[in-house]
Amino acid sequence: MSYYTNSRSPPPLQHPVPTHPAYIPEPPSTPVSPHGYQRYTSSPPTQQQFGQSIPGQSGRVPQGYTTSSGHYQPLGSPPRHAPVPAQTQPGVNIPNVPVDFSAWGLDGATAQFGMQLGQSAVAAGQDYVQKNLGGLIPISILKHHFNVSNSYVMHKLRLVLFPWRHKPWSRRVHRTENGQAEWQPPRDDVNAPDLYIPLMALVTYILLAALHSGLHSRFHPEILGITASKALAVTLLDFIFVKLGSYFLNIPGGINQVLDLLAYNGYKFVGVIVTLIAGLLNTGTTLYFVVFIYSFLATAFFLSSSGLEDNEQDIWPAMPKEVRDIKKFIEIANRKDASEARVKKLSPKAPNGKTRTKFKIRCSRYLYTLSLDDPEKAEKLQQSLPPGLVVRDVKKTPKNKK
C-alpha cells in the first residue's frame, strides 16, 4: 500500500467513456402516459450532470453522452423526449385529455364508430320502451307518483304507523291553466298515494328477511329470489281481488286507479318491516305479537280511511243536491274541493215569464244546484263567485224535431 508523502492534491480521476447499443426502442404509450412509461411517481432529484467540466480535463466532454437538458443521449440513437413527471397516480383517468385507443389495438376511426354505435343502441332502446310501454303506463303518470320529497316521506311513514288522529283524509285538487282539475302530487299532499315508499318498503323487506335467515345460519342466495317472488305474488293476488270486486260492482277505473291500488297494496310492507325489526331484537314473543297486532290494526285503519275518501270522486259520480240559500251556495263555491261552476239560463215558457238561471257547482261528492228567477240576483251571484273557480256559461241547445 502506497501513501502520498507530499502535500499536493491527488491527480483527477479519469472517467471511462461507456459504450451503449446504437438504438434503444421507445416504450409504448398508454392513455395515462402518452409519452411512454413514467419512471417516477414524483419529480426525480436533481443530480450532477456528467457533462460538467472536471478539473484537469480542460472542459473536455465526450460527445453524445449528455444533452443540453442533462439527460442521457446514447450515440447513434434517435432523439428522445424528456420524461414528464407524473402528476397523478397510474391508472387514474385525466380529464380533458383525449383517450388514446391505440394501446388497445384500436385506431381512431374504429373507436369513433364504436361510440356512435353505442349511442344509437341506447337511443333505440329508449325509443322502444317509450313506444311499447308508454302506451300501457304513461311516463307522466309514473313521474306524478314518484314526485316525493324528504318531508313527505317522513310525514307519510308517520301517517301509516300512527293514523288514529289524522284529519282530513281527502286529497287536494289543483286547477290547470285550461281549467281542468287534477290531483296534487305527493310532494304537496300527504294524503296522495305514491309508489316510492311501497317500492323501498318492498326492497327493505326482502333484505330484512335475508338478514333474519343469516342470523339463524340459514342464509342462501336463493332466499332473496324466493322472498321477492312471494311478496310480489301476494301483492298481485291482492290487486286481482280488488279489481274483480270493482268489475262485479261496475266501478270504472283507469291507469291512475291501477297505480293507486298498487301504492296502497305496498304500504302494508311498512308494518311488516316494523314487525320483522321487533323479531330481530330477540326480546321475546310477547313484544313481537304486540307489535304485529298494532301494525295490523294501524295499516287496516289507514287503508280504510284513505281509500274511502280519496276515491269518492272516481268511484261514485257526483250526486245532485239542491241548495236554496244563496249564502250557503257561495260558501260551497269557496270550498277547496269545488272544481267547476256552470251557469245556465233558461228562457221562460210563458210569454210574460221571467228568465230562470240555474247554477251548478261540482264538488268531490255532490253536484250542488241553485235556481233563481230574479235576473238581478243571478247576476250578482255570478259576480260573487271566487275568481279562482272555473265558471262556464252553458247555452241551451235546441232539440231536433223529428
Side-chain angles (χ1 to χ4, degrees):
M1 179 178 296
S2 63
Y3 296 93
Y4 292 99
T5 57
N6 56 1
S7 60
R8 294 181 301 173
S9 60
L13 298 177
Q14 299 293 333
H15 295 275
V17 178
T19 58
H20 298 278
Y23 174 73
I24 298 178
E26 288 287 341
S29 61
T30 60
V32 179
S33 177
H35 300 291
Y37 294 130
Q38 297 179 0
R39 296 172 176 80
Y40 303 100
T41 58
S42 60
S43 300
T46 305
Q47 298 178 357
Q48 184 180 2
Q49 299 180 0
F50 290 104
Q52 296 178 355
S53 60
I54 303 174
Q57 294 285 335
S58 301
R60 182 173 58 88
V61 181
Q63 298 180 356
Y65 190 71
T66 58
T67 61
S68 60
S69 59
H71 299 289
Y72 162 73
Q73 179 68 34
L75 292 171
S77 62
R80 301 177 61 182
H81 299 284
V84 180
Q87 300 295 333
T88 57
Q89 296 180 357
V92 180
N93 189 15
I94 304 175
N96 300 326
V97 175
V99 180
D100 187 8
F101 292 95
S102 60
W104 289 276
L106 299 176
D107 54 356
T110 305
Q112 292 295 332
F113 176 76
M115 294 179 64
Q116 293 179 2
L117 184 62
Q119 294 176 358
S120 301
V122 172
Q126 293 178 353
D127 191 17
Y128 177 82
V129 171
Q130 182 67 26
K131 289 182 178 179
N132 292 273
L133 299 181
L136 298 176
I137 303 178
I139 303 300
S140 60
I141 298 179
L142 284 178
K143 289 182 178 179
H144 174 84
H145 283 76
F146 281 96
N147 187 8
V148 299
S149 61
N150 295 333
S151 60
Y152 167 81
V153 173
M154 298 302 297
H155 286 85
K156 193 71 172 184
L157 292 176
R158 185 178 62 184
L159 179 60
V160 173
L161 296 176
F162 307 100
W164 314 110
R165 302 182 62 182
H166 176 72
K167 285 184 180 181
W169 290 95
S170 59
R171 294 174 60 179
R172 299 178 182 176
V173 180
H174 76 280
R175 299 178 184 86
T176 58
E177 296 180 356
N178 55 3
Q180 295 181 355
E182 294 181 354
W183 295 122
Q184 289 276 10
R187 176 187 293 269
D188 301 326
D189 185 11
V190 71
N191 293 322
D194 69 288
L195 290 175
Y196 175 79
I197 293 178
L199 181 61
M200 294 297 103
L202 176 63
V203 175
T204 306
Y205 164 72
I206 296 172
L207 296 178
L208 281 178
L211 177 62
H212 184 270
S213 301
L215 293 177
H216 291 80
S217 302
R218 292 184 287 104
F219 177 76
H220 194 272
E222 294 180 356
I223 293 178
L224 297 173
I226 294 173
T227 306
S229 301
K230 290 182 179 179
L232 293 176
V234 171
T235 304
L236 183 61
L237 289 176
D238 192 5
F239 173 77
I240 293 175
F241 178 77
V242 175
K243 291 299 291 183
L244 286 176
S246 302
Y247 175 77
F248 289 119
L249 294 176
N250 197 16
I251 298 175
I255 187 61
N256 288 316
Q257 287 74 14
V258 170
L259 295 180
D260 291 348
L261 286 177
L262 291 177
Y264 285 121
N265 288 336
Y267 285 132
K268 60 177 175 288
F269 288 104
V270 177
V272 175
I273 290 172
V274 175
T275 306
L276 283 177
I277 293 175
L280 292 175
L281 296 178
N282 294 326
T283 56
T285 57
T286 303
L287 179 62
Y288 176 80
F289 281 107
V290 169
V291 174
F292 171 76
I293 294 174
Y294 176 83
S295 301
F296 175 80
L297 295 177
T299 305
F301 184 81
F302 167 77
L303 294 178
S304 61
S305 299
S306 58
L308 179 62
E309 295 191 18
D310 286 354
N311 296 321
E312 278 183 353
Q313 186 174 349
D314 298 331
I315 295 178
W316 293 287
M319 296 181 291
K321 189 174 183 180
E322 186 178 1
V323 179
R324 297 183 179 181
D325 189 5
I326 298 178
K327 293 183 179 180
K328 185 177 181 181
F329 191 81
I330 295 176
E331 292 178 358
I332 295 173
N334 287 281
R335 284 167 45 175
K336 292 182 178 181
D337 60 341
S339 59
E340 184 184 38
R342 294 188 179 187
V343 181
K344 186 176 183 180
K345 294 182 179 181
L346 303 175
S347 58
K349 296 180 180 180
N352 297 326
K354 294 182 180 181
T355 302
R356 188 163 58 94
T357 308
K358 193 172 185 179
F359 294 86
K360 295 181 180 180
I361 294 181
R362 182 176 297 275
C363 295
S364 61
R365 188 169 184 180
Y366 293 103
L367 179 64
Y368 297 94
T369 61
L370 174 66
S371 297
L372 295 176
D373 295 334
D374 192 349
E376 294 182 0
K377 291 183 178 180
E379 188 68 22
K380 291 181 180 180
L381 176 59
Q382 187 172 356
Q383 295 178 359
S384 301
L385 294 176
L389 183 63
V390 179
V391 181
R392 301 180 185 275
D393 291 328
V394 181
K395 296 182 180 180
K396 185 177 180 180
T397 57
K399 296 181 180 180
N400 296 326
K401 296 183 179 180
K402 295 182 180 180

